[in-house]
Structures are given as C-alpha cells and as structure tokens.
Amino acid sequence: MIEVENLTKRYGDFTAIQGVTFNIADGEVVGFLGPNAAGKTTTMRILTCFMPATEGTATVAGYEVFHSPIEVRKRIGYMPENVPLYTEMTVESYLKFMANLKGVERKERLHRTNLVIEACGLGNFRKRIIGKLSKGYRQRVGLAQAMIHNPQVLILDEPTIGLDPRQIIEIRNLIKSLGGEHSVVLSTHILPEASMICSRIIIINEGKIAGTVTLKDGQVTIIESRTAGTINLEGSGNLHLRVRGPSDKVLSRLSLAPGVINAQLASENDDMGTYIVTYEAGSDIRSELASMIVYSGWQLLELHPVEMTLEEAFLELTREVVVSE
C-alpha cells in the first residue's frame, strides 16, 4: 500500500531525512516513531504531498506522490498534530464541507458524515460550534475529517494528544479497529500506546531508519536493526543482570555462554554494568551464568527475568545509530 524508496529531503546544507526506505502492507497498522527532530513529520508531509522530496520515490496505493499528488490525496486521510479546523462552523457542517472538498458524492455526504460522527463519539456534539469544543473533542473532529472520504490510508500524527484517559482508550480502540479496512500510519511519542495499537513499529532517528520492531499482543517478537541485523525473540527469554566488573570482558563471557542468543550492555556506571541477555526458550541458564560470573571474580548484584519492551527496543535502536555514525 505504501512503498518508500531512498527518500531524502534537504533544506540547503541541512539534510532532514536521508535514504529512508520502508513499506507498509494493505490493512497494516504501523507506528512511525522517533525522537524529536528525527524526520517523522518531514516524511509524513512528503507522503501526504505537502512537500516534495529532494531524492527518492514514494508511492501510495500505486500512485507516486510527486507525479500523481491528486490521486494520492484521494486515497489518504491525514490528521496532523495541530488540526486546522474552521472553529466558527458546527461539527456536522464542517464534516459535510470536508466531504465535499474531498470529493464524496453529494448523495453519500450525509451518510459518511453520520458514520464518522458515530465512530468518533461526536453524536452529542454534531450541532456544537467547533470553537466551543474542548481540545479532546477537537481532536475527534480532526480524526473524523481524516476518515470522511473513507481513504485507503490513514496517517495520524499524535491523535490522542490532549485527550483524557477515557477518551484515549476509546480512540485507541477505534484506530485499532481501522486496521484491515485501512492501512494506518501512527506517529506518537507514547510508546505504550504504540505497542497497544500497532503490529509493527518503524523507528527513525537522525533522519535515517534505525530499524523496525514487530509486535504480537503488545510484546516485542522481532527487532530488525540497520546496524546489528535481526533478533528474533519468539521462542526466547531475557535476563536482566547487574555485574561489577570490566564491561568488555563481562559482555564477552556472557555472549559466549551456552544457550545465549544475544548479550547487550544496557548501561554502565564506573565498573558496574547492566546487561540484557537473550537466551533460548526452554532452558534455565541463570545458575550457570551466576557461577560463571562468580568464578571469574566479578560481583553479581542482580539477576532476574525480563520481557523486552518497546521502550527498550526503541532506546537500543536509537542508541545504535548514534554510536555507529
């Protein structure tokens, strides 16, 4: 549904994104995450035809964004972080107006308006002036206008910002339900939210794709790193260790231990390091690792099993890019 190949955008001497490549399948719900100024908004603006790329190509539903922007816009619903609304209009009149702008046939406009009003929980506010709505309900109106023409692709930038906890849950469930019928690209700084909604996460950092994370029932199963290759966590477990000793030697010994798939230094303070060890499922290597550490003359301060979270995967992938550059 979306194919991006070597996308680059320069502003004079400044390169906002460089060589960005990824794809999103039909009906997939994908998170697009990264630190501030990583290139998320630039990429989304290119995909939505708000600006051209300097180099590379991007296609949406088979149409190239540079050569066929009108066709692309027909197939995309875009909700920016700060939705530009006509605050003097009522919710219903605004959505009908947007349906007209987006090419919905006259006989379908009222039907589509009613559908998105119901889906976004705006039934009690359809006659309310938008300028008198709370920020949370303005966000709902923004989501409704993105959906009004029933696009194949939805690109949502921080859709739950400003919502109360109950509204956040409702919008999360709504976005999740859109998968299958629509391809959804979700940008958010709230990582637990992304893990609840998305089946896959694309992480961008310093203008480049750092890697992707595949999720199953909110749990990280596969990490694909631009620099370190692929780590498959299905059928594996993770241990968290704190060891006082030389980090290079400790990491080397942990990596070579029987049953260990991967060992990483998560943090270090003087001679005390925190390590994440991924091991083969069905085996219990805790006693063997503890004996190895003590036998080597180091101090084992902590050892317990952990699940790899999206936050940990995000930090690891963004750290890798910084270290490798």
Side-chain angles (χ1 to χ4, degrees):
M1 182 56 66
I2 298 177
E3 295 183 4
V4 175
E5 186 75 25
N6 292 320
L7 212 59
T8 297
K9 178 65 178 178
R10 298 189 185 93
Y11 300 94
D13 294 333
F14 174 70
T15 301
I17 58 173
Q18 182 175 352
V20 169
T21 298
F22 63 85
N23 61 77
I24 296 172
D26 188 16
E28 193 176 13
V29 181
V30 175
F32 192 54
L33 310 183
N36 290 331
K40 301 186 301 296
T41 300
T42 297
T43 304
M44 288 191 290
R45 285 177 177 172
I46 293 171
L47 287 177
T48 53
C49 307
F50 275 75
M51 65 168 64
T54 307
E55 296 173 8
T57 61
T59 60
V60 177
Y63 294 93
E64 212 279 328
V65 297
F66 181 77
H67 297 291
S68 307
I70 294 176
E71 294 300 326
V72 170
R73 286 171 177 156
K74 288 179 182 178
R75 291 159 176 81
I76 281 184
Y78 180 41
M79 179 183 174
E81 181 176 352
N82 297 305
V83 184
L85 302 171
Y86 292 108
T87 54
E88 72 280 5
M89 299 178 75
T90 66
V91 171
E92 183 176 15
S93 61
Y94 170 73
L95 292 174
K96 287 180 179 178
F97 173 68
M98 293 304 296
N100 184 21
L101 282 184
K102 294 185 178 187
V104 178
E105 293 184 7
R106 181 185 294 272
K107 61 183 180 181
E108 287 293 316
R109 289 174 197 165
L110 179 59
H111 174 63
R112 288 299 309 167
T113 298
N114 289 335
L115 280 180
V116 297
I117 283 176
E118 181 179 355
C120 295
L122 291 165
N124 294 329
F125 300 90
R126 64 188 305 146
K127 300 297 183 182
R128 187 77 61 89
I129 300 293
I130 292 174
K132 295 184 179 180
L133 294 176
S134 68
K135 181 174 176 60
Y137 276 96
R138 291 190 194 191
Q139 288 294 105
R140 290 173 181 247
V141 176
L143 181 57
Q145 66 79 27
M147 298 168 54
I148 191 69
H149 57 305
N150 195 27
Q152 293 169 268
V153 176
L154 284 167
I155 298 180
L156 311 177
D157 192 357
E158 301 287 351
T160 61
I161 191 169
L163 303 185
D164 63 40
R166 180 178 177 180
Q167 293 171 335
I168 288 173
I169 293 171
E170 292 172 351
I171 295 299
R172 276 180 191 162
N173 292 335
L174 171 59
I175 295 171
K176 195 170 183 178
S177 71
L178 295 173
E181 183 179 351
H182 308 266
S183 297
V184 181
V185 182
L186 170 70
S187 175
T188 178
H189 284 97
I190 307 171
L191 298 186
E193 179 172 270
S195 66
M196 293 177 190
I197 297 174
C198 304
S199 59
R200 188 163 61 95
I201 306 293
I202 300 169
I203 296 177
I204 187 170
N205 189 37
E206 297 185 344
K208 300 177 181 179
I209 298 298
T212 62
V213 178
T214 302
L215 301 159
K216 183 177 181 181
D217 298 326
Q219 298 297 318
V220 175
T221 57
I222 300 173
I223 302 174
E224 297 178 73
S225 167
R226 183 167 67 88
T227 59
T230 300
I231 300 174
N232 191 334
L233 300 178
E234 284 190 296
S236 65
N238 292 284
L239 293 173
H240 174 280
L241 296 91
R242 289 177 65 220
V243 180
R244 191 181 301 278
S247 59
D248 56 341
K249 294 181 180 179
V250 173
L251 188 59
S252 176
R253 293 294 300 275
L254 290 174
S255 300
L256 295 173
V260 171
I261 299 172
N262 184 57
Q264 296 176 338
L265 176 63
S267 64
E268 185 176 15
N269 184 12
D270 293 330
D271 63 342
M272 184 174 65
T274 300
Y275 304 85
I276 301 296
V277 174
T278 303
Y279 63 95
E280 297 171 357
S283 60
D284 189 348
I285 63 172
R286 289 175 295 177
S287 60
E288 187 170 348
L289 290 184
S291 299
M292 180 198 72
I293 290 168
V294 173
Y295 180 79
S296 300
W298 306 321
Q299 291 180 315
L300 177 61
L301 305 177
E302 188 176 341
L303 188 159
H304 61 80
V306 294
E307 292 290 339
M308 174 66 81
T309 65
L310 179 57
E311 289 92 339
E312 291 167 333
F314 176 87
L315 290 174
E316 179 63 27
L317 287 172
T318 53
R319 182 188 70 83
E320 284 179 1
V321 171
V322 172
V323 170
S324 65
E325 296 295 285

